[in-house]
Amino acid sequence: PYMGLIAVVLAAGQGTRMKSDLPKVLHRAAGRSLLDWALAAVAAIRPDRVLVVVGHEAEKVVATLPDWAEPVLQADQLGTGHAVSTALLRMPPESEDTVLITYGDMPLVGSRLFERTVAGLPGKAGVMVTFAMDNPSGYGRVLRRADGGVARVVEEKDASAAERLVSEVNAGVYAFPARPLRAALSTIAAANAQGEYYLPDVLSILMEGGSQVVTVEADPTEVLGVNSQDQLAEVEAQLRRRINQRWQEAGVWMQDPDRTYIDDGVELAAGVRLYPGVHLEGDTVVGEGAVLGPDVFALDSSIGPGARVWYSVLRSARVGPEAEVGPYASLRPGTVLEARAKAGTFVEMKNTVVGEGAKVPHLAYMGDATVGARANVGAGTITCNYDGYEKHQTVIGEDAFIGSDTMLVAPVVIGEKAVTGAGSVITRDVEPGALAVERAEQAQISGYAARREQRHRARAPKEPVEESPEAPD
Ligand code: UD1
Ligand code: CA
């Protein structure tokens, strides 16, 4: 008969040891939730069904599930054994399928380990993944019989001092035949230190028929579980290392991979150069030969080939080929720099398109604006885009020259090749090629400084001054 593969992912626990309101499996590492990482590895072995056991903050967890994952509600979290028996209620009782079980708090597991686990099952009562830990604390210890076969797993809280010395631990990945598993689960009790139904308690029951539970050995770095914040950081470091290595193999240069943070899902072209402190998140894409960093945060942004970005923050921004950003620029959502455009030092932009070769080099705010190709926006220029009620557009024509410290009171249109005088407050449209100046005439009063000094001396109280050859008159 055809025997299918059903994957069961346990994700109902609260994760008390995280000391966080967020359900444990929704904590993120390198751009995805712990559960997402686990599900991606499960999906890669193409099971017939994927059942995800949810409980604590079930709605929040279910909202993150891909459509091919079937949520199973475990209303009360009575232990990993109870979680699996809840999931099995979704399968026909006579099912001859293989059940692959994994825990949603192990984001480093790869599909290869799942394959090895399932492959070990034929003819056996079960397969359990184990690994050796120098410091096994927190894990269930694997107790073996005199003949070397698996006897049972003892949880840390139930273990004697001698049992705690065992360094072989249960990873939390198993394969069992569905029908015997269901039968075994119906007989386990919660008579232990935590008052929970422990999944590993099925091992000895499954072996009563005579066949054995065998183990598959994993590398500790594959199966690290996340129970605490420091383990989350450790797992994140591992994931980042993997991601960075993959990009290095693809021709990306990183000065210091330990200080380069690339989320899963980010796309980099060959020849990209990353200095330390670069954080690339979400759907960020970086083109060939772009140089980023030191210190760039880019979320859901695209950075074109040959662009140069340093000490800057980009959120949903598009930086064109050979464009320049920073140091110290903030490109907020809707910012587009076309090819060779520049957003320089201490420049903030939002919802603004800067045309090809146009430059906004220093100390400026461009919001809800269009800057035409080759235009130059002087230092200190600001689009006054908000009247306290609504946002308005500013349009700067091609080749325009906006003098330093121009206030562009939107809505306003500056024509092509138009010029604004430094310090002007521009409230009306400027026709193409014109100069617009808005400021008082400069007055000059000759000899003013000397008269000012005299006035000051006349007012100052007379004080005896000690005579000295150097003293001024
Ligand atoms: C579990 C194992 C332990 C193993 C370790 C590996 C048991 C009893 N112990 O311990 O032998 O060494 O994992 O990391 O299985 N969950 C539910 N419903 C529940 C309880 C838990 O879905 O009622 C889920 C949790 O969300 C979590 C996973 O099962 O994803 C494991 O639970 P956790 O409490 O972390 O088990 P450990 O104490 O780590
Ligand atoms: Ca755990």
Side-chain angles (χ1 to χ4, degrees):
Y2 171 72
M3 282 186 279
L5 176 64
I6 311 297
V8 176
V9 181
L10 304 193
Q14 179 183 356
T16 327
R17 287 165 281 178
M18 298 296 287
K19 311 255 166 71
S20 159
D21 292 339
L22 195 65
K24 177 167 73 176
V25 294
L26 294 191
H27 282 262
R28 295 174 80 81
R32 316 173 80 147
S33 71
L34 300 181
L35 182 56
D36 237 23
W37 282 106
L39 288 175
V42 164
I45 63 162
R46 309 200 151 275
D48 296 284
R49 292 173 73 183
V50 178
L51 303 173
V52 181
V53 180
V54 296
H56 178 74
E57 299 245 40
E59 265 173 47
K60 265 195 197 162
V61 179
V62 169
T64 72
L65 292 180
D67 52 9
W68 44 262
E70 303 172 45
V72 177
L73 183 67
Q74 183 197 17
D76 295 310
Q77 290 83 59
L78 305 180
T80 51
H82 178 256
V84 173
S85 48
T86 306
L88 294 188
L89 294 176
R90 293 295 183 90
M91 295 169 62
E94 68 285 0
S95 168
E96 298 289 336
D97 290 340
T98 291
V99 181
L100 172 76
I101 300 162
T102 186
Y103 297 166
D105 62 356
M106 292 191 297
L108 300 177
V109 177
S111 51
R112 182 79 196 100
L113 185 65
F114 292 146
E115 278 165 10
R116 287 169 61 207
T117 307
V118 172
L121 189 60
K124 301 291 190 284
V127 180
M128 172 171 64
V129 175
T130 71
F131 63 106
M133 274 295 254
D134 292 338
N135 171 15
S137 72
Y139 288 96
R141 313 297 203 277
V142 178
L143 305 183
R144 289 181 179 271
R145 301 184 306 253
D147 68 3
V150 172
R152 60 192 179 92
V153 170
V154 62
E155 293 304 308
E156 167 138 314
K157 287 185 176 135
D158 304 297
S160 67
E163 287 167 341
R164 287 184 190 199
L165 295 176
V166 172
S167 61
E168 187 185 12
V169 300
N170 169 26
V173 176
Y174 324 76
F176 298 113
R179 204 138 51 121
L181 175 61
R182 186 194 291 255
L185 282 168
S186 67
T187 69
I188 62 173
N192 52 55
Q194 302 186 82
E196 287 184 6
Y197 294 91
Y198 291 159
L199 176 61
D201 284 357
V202 300
L203 302 182
S204 49
I205 301 163
L206 287 169
M207 290 191 285
E208 278 165 9
S211 44
Q212 300 302 301
V213 170
V214 294
T215 57
V216 162
E217 198 184 335
D219 191 293
T221 57
E222 271 183 298
V223 285
L224 281 182
V226 174
N227 297 306
S228 58
Q229 299 284 354
D230 76 304
Q231 285 171 333
L232 178 64
E234 209 172 313
V235 153
E236 159 128 29
Q238 287 282 350
L239 289 167
R240 260 196 285 118
R241 216 160 286 147
R242 281 187 201 171
I243 292 171
N244 289 357
Q245 260 162 25
R246 179 156 59 83
W247 289 119
Q248 285 174 313
E249 280 159 24
V252 171
W253 175 86
M254 292 174 206
Q255 186 177 39
D256 186 354
D258 288 341
R259 294 185 53 215
T260 305
Y261 309 83
I262 307 169
D263 276 4
D264 184 72
V266 167
E267 290 292 333
L268 307 180
V272 165
R273 295 173 64 79
L274 303 176
Y275 285 92
V278 170
H279 297 248
L280 303 177
E281 302 194 353
D283 297 325
T284 295
V285 178
V286 185
E288 202 171 324
V291 181
L292 310 190
D295 292 348
V296 168
F297 174 89
L299 169 68
D300 299 331
S301 294
S302 85
I303 296 161
R308 179 76 185 96
V309 182
W310 53 329
Y311 299 103
S312 292
V313 176
L314 285 66
R315 288 168 289 168
S316 302
R318 186 153 69 73
V319 174
E322 288 164 58
E324 286 176 65
V325 179
Y328 310 109
S330 171
L331 304 188
R332 292 165 50 202
T335 299
V336 176
L337 301 188
E338 303 288 9
R340 294 177 306 287
K342 177 169 184 170
T345 312
F346 299 114
V347 169
E348 177 181 347
M349 292 190 183
K350 184 216 70 172
N351 226 352
T352 286
V353 179
V354 182
E356 270 190 44
K359 304 219 180 312
V360 187
H362 341 264
L363 295 162
Y365 172 59
M366 298 280 108
D368 306 301
T370 306
V371 180
R374 298 170 306 278
N376 192 291
V377 176
T381 295
I382 282 171
T383 55
C384 310
N385 59 323
Y386 185 50
D387 60 13
Y389 301 97
E390 279 165 79
K391 303 290 172 72
H392 302 281
Q393 292 287 323
T394 299
V395 177
I396 298 173
E398 293 185 357
D399 300 294
F401 184 92
I402 306 300
S404 294
D405 198 29
T406 299
M407 301 293 113
L408 298 162
V409 182
V412 69
V413 177
I414 311 296
E416 284 175 31
K417 293 195 167 139
V419 175
T420 66
S424 295
V425 177
I426 303 296
T427 52
R428 291 191 309 263
D429 293 355
V430 180
E431 71 187 41
L435 164 68
V437 203
E438 184 282 336
R439 63 189 177 216
E441 281 288 314
Q442 179 171 331
Q444 180 169 301
I445 299 155
S446 303
Y448 172 77
R451 285 200 296 281
R452 179 167 169 272
E453 196 178 333
Q454 265 174 9
R455 269 204 310 274
H456 171 74
R457 281 168 176 261
R459 274 199 308 268
K462 293 267 179 315
E463 271 180 44
V465 181
E466 221 175 293
E467 288 296 321
S468 98
E470 287 83 23
D473 292 344

